[in-house]
Amino acid sequence: MGSYETILIEVEEQVATLILNRPDRMNAATPAMFDEIRDALDSLSQSDARALLITGAGRGFCAGADIGGRTFDGGRPGDASRRSLQNHYNPGMLALSALEIPIVTAVNGPAAGIGCALALAGDIIVAARSAFFLQAFVNIGLIPDGGSTWMLPKSAGIPKSMEAMMLGERIPAEDAEKIGLITRCVADDDLLDEANSLAKRLAQGPTLALGMIRQLVRGAQHMSLPEAMNHEAEAQRVAGNSEDFIEGVQAFQEKRGPNFKGK
């Protein structure tokens, strides 16, 4: 994998682990970080990775966009923010959304602002008990971005999402689990073991089908039922013609565990 300044990435046992690596800044995100994330995701197609695990170095997952000492490249601050979103942050988030392998996020500390959106981009979201989620934008007079206004309501519903975005208050990990914002809340010491175990399990599964599931679920959110069913039918055609399906049926008939290849 490539060498980066703000992230680390390695592939082991078909799991790619991407670590946000600015621990001195609680992994606060810069435009360059999201450019590096996008580049790393592009390179995964050349590896044997069949699942992606995202976490943060040090005490935090991601404290949001790094606005400490921020300077703007001329013009009005809002115009600069728009350019950063359109040219850097949004393409990185969309690359995650388009990924064809399942994603696990291991939220090891604060996930604020764009960091909250990044944490919620996982298909399976595991958080340490001490972690929290924060839609911090309103506290400095901004609006949620990074896809937050799309993701939060689809997970937690409109009332809780409005509360989070309009009041700008922390959502502790245990509360996030209760409202359906995340998958699991675990003891801090168990976080990486739990997340790694889930990522490895996904990597050993029928990742062709898993990749289509993540795309179908996201796409269905803005489709009618007949449209969603048509997309399911086409995806089932692809899955049904796959080597994994043949292996799954043979394993079932032979009463053994399947050996999926993601093909």
Side-chain angles (χ1 to χ4, degrees), residues 20 26 59-64 105-120 125 127 130-137 169-171 181-182:
L20 309 178
M26 295 289 283
R59 299 181 298 109
F61 180 78
C62 177
T105 49
V107 187
N108 56 309
I114 191 75
C116 181
L118 182 58
L120 298 180
I125 306 159
S130 65
F132 63 84
F133 301 82
L134 176 62
Q135 286 290 302
F137 304 94
E169 297 176 345
R170 296 182 180 187
I171 304 174
L181 195 62
I182 66 172

Side-chain angles (χ1 to χ4, degrees), residues 42-220:
D42 288 343
S43 71
L44 288 183
S45 62
Q46 301 167 17
S47 73
D48 66 346
R50 294 176 60 200
L52 173 64
L53 171 63
I54 303 175
T55 192
R59 299 181 298 109
F61 180 78
C62 177
D66 192 346
I67 60 172
R70 184 172 181 177
T71 57
F72 298 98
D73 56 348
R76 305 177 69 185
D79 297 332
S81 294
R82 181 175 184 269
R83 286 193 295 272
S84 290
L85 286 168
Q86 291 190 321
N87 296 333
H88 305 282
Y89 294 108
N90 289 354
M93 292 298 296
L94 290 172
L96 280 170
S97 178
L99 202 64
E100 295 182 350
I101 59 176
I103 301 172
V104 177
T105 49
V107 187
N108 56 309
I114 191 75
C116 181
L118 182 58
L120 298 180
D123 303 309
I124 295 182
I125 306 159
V126 188
R129 192 160 286 118
S130 65
F132 63 84
F133 301 82
L134 176 62
Q135 286 290 302
F137 304 94
V138 73
N139 296 329
I140 56 172
L142 293 176
I143 61 96
D145 58 30
S148 295
T149 60
W150 189 91
M151 287 188 284
L152 262 72
K154 287 175 171 55
S155 298
I158 289 177
K160 281 296 182 183
S161 298
M162 286 296 192
E163 180 182 51
M165 291 186 279
M166 288 189 167
L167 298 183
E169 297 176 345
R170 296 182 180 187
I171 304 174
E174 290 181 329
D175 292 346
E177 182 182 31
K178 289 175 184 176
I179 64 175
L181 195 62
I182 66 172
T183 311
R184 298 181 188 180
C185 174
V186 300
D188 288 29
D189 291 344
D190 295 336
L191 175 67
L192 287 181
D193 285 343
E194 180 79 4
N196 272 307
S197 176
L198 288 166
K200 289 178 182 177
R201 178 176 173 181
L202 291 171
Q204 293 167 5
T207 45
L208 178 66
L210 293 176
M212 289 191 290
I213 288 171
R214 74 185 308 269
Q215 297 303 323
L216 286 168
V217 169
R218 283 165 172 77

Side-chain angles (χ1 to χ4, degrees), residues 1 4 7 9 18 35-45:
M1 305 299 289
Y4 301 103
I7 64 172
I9 187 163
L18 191 157
D35 289 344
E36 291 189 344
I37 289 173
R38 186 165 38 136
D39 185 80
L41 296 179
D42 288 343
S43 71
L44 288 183
S45 62

